[in-house]
Amino acid sequence: MALENLTPAEGSTHARKRVGRGQGSGMGKTSTRGQKGQKSRTGYKRKRNFEGGQQPLARRLPKIGFFSRVQKPVSINVEKAAKVAALAEITVETIREVYTLPKSTTRVKLVGAGAKDLASKIKDENVTTTGK
């Protein structure tokens, strides 16, 4: 056995279909393209997602969803979260110590009746309050 004597297994390979090489080949004249029509012409290319004139699936289904890259702040009601209102200094890190926040949270908004009174305690630009 040597490299030059190796051959593929019996029946594992097929001869390439040679199209348009005369009538005797059985694949002459129309070269397996059938009779007239758009598909038989040279340069024909079917468009992606073309469904034969039927309304494409992408246009039949409703448009759904929108993903905003702007991260919205997590709202905390200070009337319900008294521990947050009791903090001496309010930053995202100090809020995390007394209130459960998602890991991805970077901005916090304090809402509620007593929120604007806490504005003097805020020491972080990522924490805001409501009210005027």
Side-chain angles (χ1 to χ4, degrees):
M1 167 128 356
L3 284 176
E4 64 269 12
N5 296 332
L6 291 176
T7 56
E10 193 68 37
S12 66
T13 61
H14 303 280
R16 192 172 66 96
K17 187 195 278 191
R18 294 192 70 221
V19 168
R21 292 293 177 267
Q23 296 298 339
S25 68
M27 291 172 224
K29 195 184 166 217
T30 55
S31 302
T32 73
R33 289 173 178 252
Q35 300 297 318
K36 304 171 202 171
Q38 196 173 21
K39 284 198 230 172
S40 70
R41 311 295 183 197
T42 184
Y44 166 75
K45 192 175 102 190
R46 182 183 290 132
K47 289 185 173 154
R48 227 176 318 132
N49 301 333
F50 184 67
E51 299 181 18
Q54 169 177 293
Q55 191 72 273
L57 183 67
R59 292 184 63 191
R60 288 197 304 262
L61 298 176
K63 291 193 233 175
I64 58 163
F66 171 78
F67 183 78
S68 176
R69 289 189 201 95
V70 179
Q71 188 184 17
K72 292 193 175 140
V74 173
S75 296
I76 299 174
N77 190 333
V78 292
E79 293 170 4
K80 293 180 181 176
K83 288 182 182 178
V84 175
L87 289 170
E89 201 174 79
I90 300 175
T91 63
V92 174
E93 287 73 36
T94 56
I95 292 172
R96 251 183 235 284
E97 291 170 12
V98 295
Y99 191 84
T100 308
L101 288 175
K103 287 183 181 179
S104 61
T105 302
T106 55
R107 296 173 60 213
V108 176
K109 184 168 196 161
L110 303 176
V111 296
K116 57 184 168 187
D117 301 334
L118 300 174
S120 59
K121 293 183 179 181
I122 294 173
K123 305 293 184 219
D124 189 353
E125 68 272 1
N126 291 322
V127 181
T128 56
T129 62
T130 57
K132 293 175 171 91

